[in-house]
């Protein structure tokens, strides 16, 4: 099971990076202990705390020539990870 799916790189999370907090999209079945171990292993940092939330999918509809098309955005789980003071995670090092 791949625990960390992708990092969240938005303006909101970039502002949180200055405080030592980083956001990730994680597997819905992963718990806080598994997320902590995965971040420490992959990025080589010390994790102080992990907060999780489940972002619920919502219904969307679109009007087209052939009629109304309805669908649903996916549900996913986010984790906000706080690292120890003085440590950073560099998402752009591999580019």
């Amino acid at each position: 099971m791949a625990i960390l799916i992708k990092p969240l790189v938005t303006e909101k999370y970039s502002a949180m990076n200055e405080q030592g907090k980083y956001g990730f999209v994680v597997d819905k079945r992963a718990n806080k202990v598994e997320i902590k171990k995965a971040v420490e292993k992959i990025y080589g940092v010390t994790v102080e705390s992990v907060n999780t939330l489940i972002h619920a999918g919502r219904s969307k509809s679109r009007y087209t020539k052939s009629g109304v098309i309805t669908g649903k955005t996916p549900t996913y789980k986010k984790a906000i990870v706080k690292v120890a003071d003085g440590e950073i995670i560099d998402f752009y090092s591999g580019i």
Side-chain angles (χ1 to χ4, degrees):
M1 171 171 80
I3 295 173
L4 299 179
I5 297 172
K6 66 179 180 178
L8 293 168
V9 185
T10 61
E11 286 186 37
K12 179 179 179 180
Y13 287 101
S14 296
M16 289 173 55
N17 291 351
E18 297 170 5
Q19 302 169 1
K21 295 181 181 179
Y22 299 90
F24 296 94
V25 175
V26 297
D27 187 9
K28 283 195 280 188
R29 297 167 292 177
N31 60 29
K32 292 182 180 184
V33 176
E34 293 171 339
I35 295 167
K36 179 180 177 178
K37 288 179 183 178
V39 171
E40 288 177 344
K41 181 180 177 187
I42 293 172
Y43 295 105
V45 295
T46 305
V47 175
E48 289 184 354
S49 66
V50 177
N51 295 333
T52 59
L53 60 113
I54 295 177
H55 187 271
R58 60 189 181 107
S59 299
K60 296 183 92 175
S61 60
R62 185 173 54 163
Y63 299 98
T64 63
K65 288 183 188 178
S66 60
V68 178
I69 298 173
T70 59
K72 189 172 182 195
T73 60
T75 300
Y76 58 93
K77 187 173 189 176
K78 293 195 277 188
I80 299 171
V81 177
K82 185 173 189 321
V83 299
D85 292 336
E87 294 187 357
I88 60 169
I89 295 176
D90 188 15
F91 295 129
Y92 303 109
S93 64
I95 296 175

